[in-house]
Amino acid sequence: MDEIVISGGHRLRGEIAVSGSKNAVLPLMVAGLLTDEELILRGTPRLADTRTLAKVLAELGATVAEFGNGPGEGLNIDTPTLTSTRASYEWVSKMRASFWVLGPLLARAHEAQVSLPGGCAIGTRPVDLYLNGLAAMGADISVEGGYVNATAKGGLKGARVDFPFVSVGATHVLLMAACLAKGETVITNAATEPEVVDVGTCLQAMGAQIDGLGTRILTIQGVEKLHGADHTVTRDRIEAGAFALAVAATGGAVTLTGIDEAALGALAPAMRLAGAGLIETDGGLHVTGPAGRPQPTPITTEPYPGFATDLQAPFMGLMCCADGVSRIRETIFENRFMHVQELARLGADISLEGDTAIVTGVEKLYGAPVMATDLRASVTLVIAGLMAEGETRISRVYHLDRGYERIEEKLSAVGAKIWRETL
Ligand code: UD1
């Protein structure tokens, strides 16, 4: 099993190219199942999660082929026929987003058996919104033996789907399902995350009729068939945010290429309050660290355009060394503070009060062995390790590999002392 080792205390300087978005490419790959023609996705990241999903899609009859290298690289997804409508526990338990094949399978084949999901252990993460939404569209659904069995004889029908709260995944699935349903579907309280907009834009290029992308109300007129398309994946705002925080944490100066300040969303003003500098240049977004210790900065996670829950842990990493107390509130997932005990091993002073972490900044973190507990927690340990004095050794880095492309290479190239050891 691999470990990542960091010798901390080095400023990051130079340029980092931001990869294609993990949270966009996964639903885009799933959308490939909606058509019997080829979907070409460009600028895709190479991640453990994309490889896992490729295996799920292959089980269903898709051929997923990688092409190119570097910025020109991508994936071809070709599903002339769905040879199976069953997504097994073996794969779905590895990654929650594989559950999303439920939407296209039901829409195109009118039936699906999909294992209940696994993925990061960051709360109970139920699937009621997906199932209630698909039931409203006429699907007959039962849950047995850990599998969702769904059928829609004669196809899904357009319906009104009112989500009680915002769910990114349920929005993706209902949006995809509605594209091939008969008649009009209206989804209220839809997610407006840039990744949902990216998927919607690709679906439009495939012939879908969608109104309201980027707003809380989506109106979809179902069509008979979708066709192939050629789509470039949006850049990863969550990876970009983690790099921006790593630069701030080390007091460095790095240009992030391929994104602008808007991509960071609510992270940008929070970083400015913390004392970091963000300047848009011709080459990208230039990030500089605060002159001294970061200023304590409160954040509350919320659905987009609020502060992204996926950046909560990395932001806490920066606040560990702030000059004062920061309150960090998590409102999306109920168990997304597993990084707290690992940060404490590096000397951070954090206490938990319900959904809020109270981070009392310390002058210095000190390297220690730590364990990655989930995807976003793992990158937080990287950021903390870059700040810490001495050596930090991170185990269970398969969490990191799920979502960050060649992170140790990207960080080494800007001056970090970080490497991978295979034990
Ligand atoms: C996606 C992202 C993840 C991000 C999250 C929130 C991907 C691959 N993953 O996850 O990185 O952290 O959005 O921005 O894009 N919920 C229910 N019932 C449901 C569905 C969701 O109670 O049927 C709850 C969840 O438990 C959670 C909240 O809704 O508390 C939001 O989750 P959701 O937006 O669905 O997250 P994911 O789509 O799984």
Side-chain angles (χ1 to χ4, degrees):
M1 224 189 265
D2 290 0
E3 292 190 348
I4 294 279
V5 189
I6 303 166
S7 171
H10 301 276
R11 285 168 196 258
L12 305 185
R13 290 192 185 283
E15 210 174 273
I16 306 180
V18 176
S19 294
S21 162
K22 174 187 90 77
N23 284 359
V25 76
L26 297 177
L28 285 165
M29 289 171 71
V30 169
L33 294 177
L34 286 164
T35 173
D36 58 9
E37 295 180 19
E38 192 175 62
L39 178 63
I40 301 169
L41 300 175
R42 296 182 193 274
T44 57
R46 297 262 158 104
L47 302 167
D49 269 9
T50 51
R51 285 191 290 273
T52 302
L53 187 57
K55 289 187 175 128
V56 176
L57 300 187
E59 259 196 357
L60 304 172
T63 306
V64 182
E66 291 183 351
F67 64 82
N69 239 321
E73 70 194 5
L75 291 173
N76 275 356
I77 299 161
D78 195 11
T79 324
T81 47
L82 289 168
T83 54
S84 161
T85 52
R86 182 181 166 89
S88 69
Y89 178 68
E90 185 196 350
W91 295 115
V92 185
S93 61
K94 286 198 170 66
M95 187 185 63
R96 185 177 171 83
S98 354
F99 181 73
W100 299 349
V101 299
L102 178 62
L105 288 179
L106 253 182
R108 188 168 154 194
H110 306 170
E111 59 164 49
Q113 303 84 46
V114 180
S115 167
L116 286 166
C120 279
I122 53 172
T124 47
R125 301 181 87 174
V127 292
D128 49 328
L129 267 58
Y130 300 76
L131 303 191
N132 294 341
L134 292 169
M137 295 179 74
D140 197 359
I141 295 177
S142 63
V143 180
E144 254 172 81
Y147 277 75
V148 172
N149 300 311
T151 51
K153 288 209 178 72
L156 290 168
K157 295 179 194 69
R160 191 180 161 100
V161 176
D162 296 312
F163 287 136
F165 50 87
V166 174
S167 160
V168 172
T171 304
H172 281 312
V173 166
L174 269 293
L175 175 59
M176 289 187 212
C179 289
L180 290 181
K182 285 195 189 74
E184 181 178 274
T185 299
V186 177
I187 303 174
T188 65
N189 226 356
T192 59
E193 267 67 1
E195 295 76 18
V196 173
V197 176
D198 199 36
V199 171
T201 307
C202 177
L203 291 168
Q204 285 170 332
M206 294 166 73
Q209 293 190 9
I210 305 167
D211 268 339
L213 282 175
T215 75
R216 288 271 174 251
I217 301 181
L218 296 175
T219 307
I220 305 110
Q221 308 293 340
V223 294
E224 277 281 303
K225 225 172 160 342
L226 293 178
H227 51 75
D230 187 331
H231 179 80
T232 299
V233 181
T234 188
R235 302 287 179 122
D236 198 321
R237 65 194 172 98
I238 305 299
E239 187 206 33
F243 285 137
L245 287 164
V247 175
T250 62
V254 167
T255 300
L256 301 175
T257 65
I259 59 142
D260 54 16
E261 181 177 332
L264 295 189
L267 175 66
M271 284 191 65
R272 283 217 172 83
L273 276 177
L278 300 171
I279 302 168
E280 276 185 22
T281 66
D282 288 345
L285 182 65
H286 188 66
V287 184
T288 50
R293 284 170 67 183
Q295 291 305 301
T297 307
I299 56 153
T300 298
T301 64
E302 279 163 355
Y304 190 84
F307 194 99
T309 172
D310 285 349
L311 288 168
Q312 175 259 111
F315 194 78
M316 192 185 297
L318 177 66
M319 287 300 105
C320 284
C321 288
D323 193 9
V325 178
S326 314
R327 293 176 69 84
I328 296 189
R329 187 162 170 245
E330 172 60 59
T331 72
I332 308 288
F333 293 108
E334 79 271 24
N335 187 22
R336 207 172 205 184
F337 283 135
M338 283 179 299
H339 42 285
V340 166
Q341 59 196 30
E342 300 303 308
L343 289 170
R345 292 180 53 76
L346 300 172
D349 179 354
I350 306 169
S351 58
L352 291 177
E353 273 179 19
D355 66 1
T356 302
I358 295 135
V359 186
T360 305
V362 294
E363 213 152 299
K364 240 184 198 320
L365 296 178
Y366 296 92
V370 288
M371 191 186 282
T373 51
D374 64 69
L375 175 61
R376 307 304 175 187
S378 60
V379 82
T380 306
L381 298 176
V382 171
I383 294 169
L386 293 172
M387 279 195 282
E389 188 176 304
E391 188 175 284
T392 297
R393 186 172 275 274
I394 306 173
S395 59
R396 301 202 179 169
V397 295
Y398 51 84
H399 287 296
L400 195 62
D401 294 334
R402 282 190 47 206
Y404 297 91
E405 187 177 18
R406 300 178 289 109
I407 191 166
E408 71 274 23
E409 280 175 41
K410 286 190 176 187
L411 288 171
S412 295
V414 291
K417 301 286 172 268
I418 177 171
W419 62 96
R420 181 178 290 256
E421 287 184 6
T422 301
L423 301 181

